[in-house]
Amino acid sequence: MGRGDDSSMLVRRGWVSAGLCALGLFAGCPNGGQDSETATSATATATTTTGESTSSGATESTGETTTTTTTTTTTTATTSPAPMCGNGIVEGGEECDDGNQSNYDACISTCVLATCGDGIVRAGYEECDDGNLSDDDTCVGGCKVAFCGDGYVQLGKEQCDDANQSNLDGCTNQCKTHAPGCGDGIVDEGEECDDGNVESTDNCTSECKVNVCGDGHPHSVFEECDDGNQIDEDACLSDCTLNVCGDGIVNPEAEECDDANDDNGDECPETCALAFCGDGFIQLGAEKCDNGDQNADDAYNGCTTKCGTSASCGDYVVQAQFGEECDDGNQTSNDGCDSTCKKETPPECLNPIVLGEADRASSFNDGPGGVTICDKTANKWYRISDAAGTKMPTSAPSLFSCGTDAPGWLNGTYPVVDDGVVTRKVCFAWINNTCQWSQNIQVRDCGDFYAFRLPDPPDTCLRYCGAP
């Protein structure tokens, strides 16, 4: 490489160095390449002399070559770069520079210090930031979210704000102005309670007193009544329950007595009025009857005005004027006289078995060796009818009468209707003994006929006889 080449390289190196210094990227520059001092660039100029003068001032001769080097110094002025926000260096009028472009830390993207009211919510330091410093909206002093009790009156939402949660001053804990009074829902001085209304049927009365039995205010749930006293002898008891008949406490305003029971046979029936003849209740030991308003001295089967029994069915007296046909001293049916004292057909008279054979009549006698029939009656009810007659004979028939060897006859008298069922003896005649055998039977006068309950005869070939 020739010298001319060396000088060109030096020029290039000077230009590059100057440029790097201007950009602050060359460490060999004065002040680190960050000031505005002069950078020097050296330019080497090579001249060849041959004995003649050239335009560059070099002389060229023929006998000897002479080289002359001339050094030229050039001074260039450079300007430092403009400040850059976000480069981490506070410069050029910046309040701060934290090396980033975030708006949510202490230094915002314009390199200005973050402040309450700049409209940017600084995380961790501000709850809100509405871009103003007004304390009557939703974001108040110190960039805090407004709330009742913060000491700032929020327009349109709060009537007052005294920076506390007390209800006992002029501003409630709902931030409403408070004028003390019963029914506002706030327990003021002198009040036992305040449920926000002036009803007296709930737990807190219209006077803001706790509702208790005896205060004159009936509680809609826990009290049946409340007459303002603790007296039991009136319509409302001391426990605020109604005084009712049967509770054992006499209410002078409505009761004559109260024995705490519902027995209508004592002196105090269920009406809690003292028992009397005509009240419709039979007082045991004092009255025989009591039909209330129906008591009458001339009533049949009723009750007199003195609560004694009048003429009635079952008193053993047949009251024909009142339609009685019979009176057996009771009001039981199926005994011949029914419960209304009308005659009735007893069961034994309803469907007795008919004994109507002609050879059963006491007048039938065909002698020994003739018809011989032996009864097997099995203790059932019978009636003698048709050709046999209507009843048994009451004297001994002759031997071999009634179609048998030993005829049976009734040794006694017949009952009347009112006698009911009676027991009689039947004798069976044989040879010289009119009562060789005997058997007890039952007889009833059925009015139109006699009914007989006949057990089996006591021996064979005996028979119950019939007679006209």
Side-chain angles (χ1 to χ4, degrees):
M1 180 179 297
R3 292 184 181 269
D5 294 331
D6 290 338
S7 61
S8 297
M9 184 171 59
L10 290 174
V11 172
R12 286 193 300 271
R13 287 179 178 174
W15 179 83
V16 172
S17 298
L20 293 176
C21 288
L23 294 175
L25 300 176
F26 185 56
C29 299
N31 296 327
Q34 300 299 315
D35 57 10
S36 58
E37 292 184 1
T38 304
T40 302
S41 175
T43 303
T45 304
T47 306
T48 302
T49 304
T50 58
E52 290 186 354
S53 178
T54 63
S55 61
S56 61
T59 302
E60 185 177 349
S61 62
T62 60
E64 185 178 7
T65 300
T66 303
T67 302
T68 303
T69 301
T70 303
T71 301
T72 302
T73 300
T74 303
T75 301
T76 304
T78 60
T79 303
S80 60
M84 180 181 295
C85 180
N87 62 6
I89 301 172
V90 179
E91 56 188 345
E94 295 176 340
E95 294 181 3
C96 58
D97 194 319
D98 55 3
N100 64 60
Q101 295 293 309
S102 173
N103 279 324
Y104 301 104
D105 51 17
C107 187
I108 64 177
S109 62
T110 58
C111 286
V112 176
L113 290 171
T115 60
C116 178
D118 59 10
I120 301 172
V121 179
R122 185 182 175 195
Y125 295 92
E126 298 175 333
E127 296 177 358
C128 59
D129 197 316
D130 55 2
N132 65 61
L133 296 177
S134 174
D135 290 332
D136 58 6
D137 52 15
T138 58
C139 189
V140 297
C143 283
K144 304 289 185 182
V145 174
F147 63 92
C148 179
D150 59 7
Y152 301 105
V153 178
Q154 189 177 170
L155 295 180
K157 292 187 176 181
E158 298 176 338
Q159 296 176 354
C160 58
D161 197 316
D162 55 3
N164 66 56
Q165 292 295 306
S166 173
N167 275 325
L168 302 179
D169 51 18
C171 188
T172 70
N173 56 16
Q174 286 83 38
C175 286
K176 295 181 179 180
T177 55
H178 172 223
C182 182
D184 60 7
I186 300 172
V187 179
D188 297 312
E189 184 177 355
E191 296 179 341
E192 296 179 1
C193 57
D194 196 316
D195 54 3
N197 63 61
V198 291
E199 295 290 332
S200 291
T201 58
D202 54 13
N203 294 334
C204 189
T205 68
S206 58
E207 293 86 17
C208 283
K209 302 292 183 182
V210 175
N211 195 329
V212 295
C213 179
D215 61 4
H217 300 295
H219 194 289
S220 61
V221 177
F222 303 111
E223 298 176 339
E224 294 179 356
C225 57
D226 197 320
D227 55 2
N229 64 59
Q230 296 291 310
I231 299 173
D232 282 331
E233 289 73 24
D234 55 14
C236 188
L237 302 179
S238 59
D239 61 356
C240 287
T241 58
L242 292 171
N243 190 333
V244 296
C245 178
D247 59 10
I249 301 173
V250 177
N251 176 10
E253 299 175 1
E255 299 173 338
E256 295 178 350
C257 59
D258 196 318
D259 55 5
N261 65 59
D262 56 0
D263 184 1
N264 289 322
D266 56 16
E267 294 181 351
C268 188
E270 62 184 15
T271 58
C272 285
L274 291 172
F276 63 94
C277 179
D279 60 7
F281 303 112
I282 299 175
Q283 187 179 354
L284 300 180
E287 299 174 339
K288 291 183 178 180
C289 59
D290 197 320
N291 291 335
D293 294 339
Q294 302 301 314
N295 289 350
D297 292 334
D298 57 353
Y300 170 73
N301 205 26
C303 190
T304 68
T305 54
K306 294 183 179 180
C307 289
T309 56
S310 63
S312 61
C313 178
D315 61 3
Y316 289 103
V317 178
V318 177
Q319 309 286 340
Q321 70 272 30
F322 296 118
E324 291 185 352
E325 297 176 356
C326 57
D327 197 317
D328 55 3
N330 62 60
Q331 293 182 328
T332 304
S333 297
N334 300 321
D335 60 357
C337 188
D338 67 16
S339 60
T340 60
C341 286
K342 300 293 183 182
K343 290 182 179 181
E344 62 182 2
T345 301
E348 55 270 17
C349 298
L350 291 175
N351 295 296
I353 300 171
V354 175
L355 301 176
E357 309 94 323
D359 56 14
R360 185 181 292 275
S362 58
S363 59
F364 179 85
N365 191 324
D366 58 355
V371 177
T372 303
I373 300 175
C374 307
D375 274 342
K376 294 295 181 181
T377 47
N379 203 34
K380 296 180 180 180
W381 284 95
Y382 297 86
R383 65 177 289 186
I384 298 173
S385 182
D386 302 330
T390 59
K391 56 185 178 181
M392 286 187 191
T394 55
S395 59
S398 60
L399 196 62
F400 305 119
S401 295
C402 307
T404 189
D405 291 343
W409 55 283
L410 186 69
N411 188 1
T413 61
Y414 278 95
V416 296
V417 171
D418 291 340
D419 289 338
V421 176
V422 298
T423 299
R424 294 289 186 264
K425 183 171 73 170
V426 173
C427 288
F428 297 90
W430 177 245
I431 306 178
N432 296 321
N433 189 349
T434 59
C435 199
Q436 178 70 36
W437 298 277
S438 64
Q439 176 68 58
N440 286 332
I441 67 170
Q442 289 182 312
V443 183
R444 173 146 203 165
D445 185 352
C446 292
D448 297 328
F449 60 91
Y450 291 104
F452 304 91
R453 188 169 189 171
L454 304 176
D456 288 340
D459 207 339
T460 59
C461 290
L462 306 180
R463 197 178 193 193
Y464 297 103
C465 285

